[in-house]
Amino acid sequence: MSRKVEEMVLAVCRKHPEGVADTVLESELPDVSVNDRALAINSLLSSMKLQILVNPADPSSHIYKASTTGDTARFKGLTAEDMLVYQCIQAAGNIGIWTRDMKQRTNLQQPKVTKILKALEERLLVKSVKSVQNASRKVYMLYELEPAKELTGGPWFGPDAFDSEFVAVLQETTLSYIKSKGQPSLADIVRFIKETGISKQALQEDDVERIINTLEYDGKIEQIEEDDGDRHYRMMLMRIPESTPLTSIPCGVCPVFSECVEGGKISPATCTYYQDWLEQMELDF
């Protein structure tokens, strides 16, 4: 009887490859008792013929999914709880999930989750990744996934911090190329940067565009439109000065500027910062 029930449960799961909730099994197998169904599910989970997943529609509940031949070999020896943690991590994609959320979604105690994670890491099924948004927090994702840029910070971040030297080298290389070529297109610049092999990571077009944007913001280059419809860049014809005497006037950053009036307790005549600025103006001119 138990073997027959297992086959019936598998048949329902294969009918719903996206996974089925226990309520679906109950409705499609009305003649199978709750006890027999539970025994069949546990047996199938133990033999890796069935997977238990976190329900995407309701993270507090679970669904069952029939395993493929490859899954059976890959997950051989894992318990139902191991698979529950694995599937929880799988559902997080390349954003990853940290242990507190894992604990809440699997209803497992922290020591148990920690033990399972260690086993999954040893089997190269999952890996931990540090988040640039919170250096003290590790998140877990499937071993074969490439972490999202939001997580790692993209190519601009080294193992521990923002790689300002790498960004500076890219900026200088890009600037030199634009200067030598006159008015290269965005595609030209992207191709050149990739061909230089300056980055150990594969830079995408949007990565190179960010570098170009920083040069624009600094007033070193400007974007122009050409007939080909592509964006082209050239050296800024008129450089914007980084500062002028007027941009350094203390009034612009004074916290009591609104209270400063001629003849008042706070006034230009009694402001030492203003007097220092005037003296500096005289020296500069």
Side-chain angles (χ1 to χ4, degrees):
M1 177 65 179
S2 60
R3 179 68 176 174
K4 183 179 179 180
V5 175
E6 288 179 21
E7 291 175 355
M8 293 168 67
V9 170
L10 273 178
V12 174
C13 290
R14 287 168 181 156
K15 181 181 173 183
H16 302 278
E18 72 283 359
V20 295
D22 196 56
T23 52
V24 176
L25 288 172
E26 182 180 6
S27 64
E28 296 202 17
L29 302 173
D31 298 329
V32 177
S33 68
V34 174
N35 185 60
D36 287 344
R37 188 172 70 250
L39 289 173
I41 289 173
N42 287 334
S43 177
L44 291 169
L45 288 171
S46 299
S47 61
M48 301 305 300
K49 293 179 181 178
L50 201 66
Q51 298 179 44
I52 183 170
L53 318 175
V54 176
N55 189 344
D58 179 13
S60 64
S61 63
H62 306 124
I63 57 175
Y64 301 100
K65 185 177 180 181
S67 301
T68 64
T69 304
D71 290 335
T72 303
R74 190 181 185 200
F75 303 129
K76 185 178 180 180
L78 296 183
T79 66
E81 290 179 334
D82 294 338
M83 287 304 302
L84 184 59
V85 172
Y86 176 87
Q87 297 297 343
C88 183
I89 295 171
Q90 183 183 48
N94 65 349
I95 294 296
I97 182 172
W98 71 309
T99 52
R100 190 182 72 175
D101 292 337
M102 219 179 295
K103 175 185 171 184
Q104 292 175 344
R105 295 183 186 182
T106 60
N107 291 320
L108 296 174
Q109 294 301 311
Q110 186 61 51
K112 186 67 175 178
V113 172
T114 302
K115 183 179 179 180
I116 291 173
L117 286 173
K118 183 179 179 182
L120 294 176
E121 284 189 283
E122 288 176 350
R123 294 184 61 160
L124 302 183
L125 292 173
V126 304
K127 63 183 176 183
S128 62
V129 179
K130 283 186 178 180
S131 170
V132 296
Q133 299 173 353
N134 191 331
S136 63
R137 179 187 298 181
K138 288 193 301 184
V139 297
Y140 290 83
M141 66 182 62
L142 297 190
Y143 186 81
E144 62 270 18
L145 293 182
E146 185 70 27
K149 287 184 178 180
E150 306 94 285
L151 196 64
T152 63
W156 322 127
F157 280 78
D160 301 308
F162 179 71
D163 194 344
S164 58
E165 291 185 9
F166 175 56
V167 171
V169 169
L170 275 175
Q171 288 176 322
E172 189 59 39
T173 303
T174 302
L175 195 62
S176 297
Y177 179 74
I178 294 173
K179 188 175 182 179
S180 65
K181 294 298 180 180
Q183 297 180 4
S185 67
L186 173 61
D188 292 332
I189 300 171
V190 171
R191 183 167 53 253
F192 169 74
I193 293 297
K194 287 184 177 181
E195 289 174 353
T196 61
I198 197 171
S199 174
K200 294 180 180 179
Q201 296 187 47
L203 295 178
Q204 303 303 317
E205 181 174 308
D206 61 330
D207 296 323
V208 178
E209 192 171 4
R210 287 189 179 94
I211 294 296
I212 293 173
N213 289 341
T214 63
L215 295 173
E216 275 195 278
Y217 299 149
D218 289 343
K220 296 178 179 179
I221 63 173
E222 61 182 346
Q223 182 182 147
I224 56 174
E225 295 293 334
E226 292 288 346
D227 295 336
D228 60 6
D230 198 357
R231 283 172 289 173
H232 288 248
Y233 298 88
R234 68 183 179 191
M235 300 298 292
M236 181 68 76
L237 298 181
M238 183 179 292
R239 289 291 304 276
I240 301 172
E242 294 183 3
S243 65
T244 67
L246 289 177
T247 61
S248 61
I249 187 170
C251 305
V253 293
C254 180
V256 291
F257 175 76
S258 60
E259 302 174 31
C260 185
V261 293
E262 190 64 41
K265 187 175 181 180
I266 300 173
S267 71
T270 59
C271 179
T272 57
Y273 300 107
Y274 188 66
Q275 294 301 321
D276 291 343
W277 177 74
L278 286 175
E279 291 174 7
Q280 185 61 46
M281 285 277 288
E282 292 175 0
L283 290 175
D284 290 341
F285 286 93

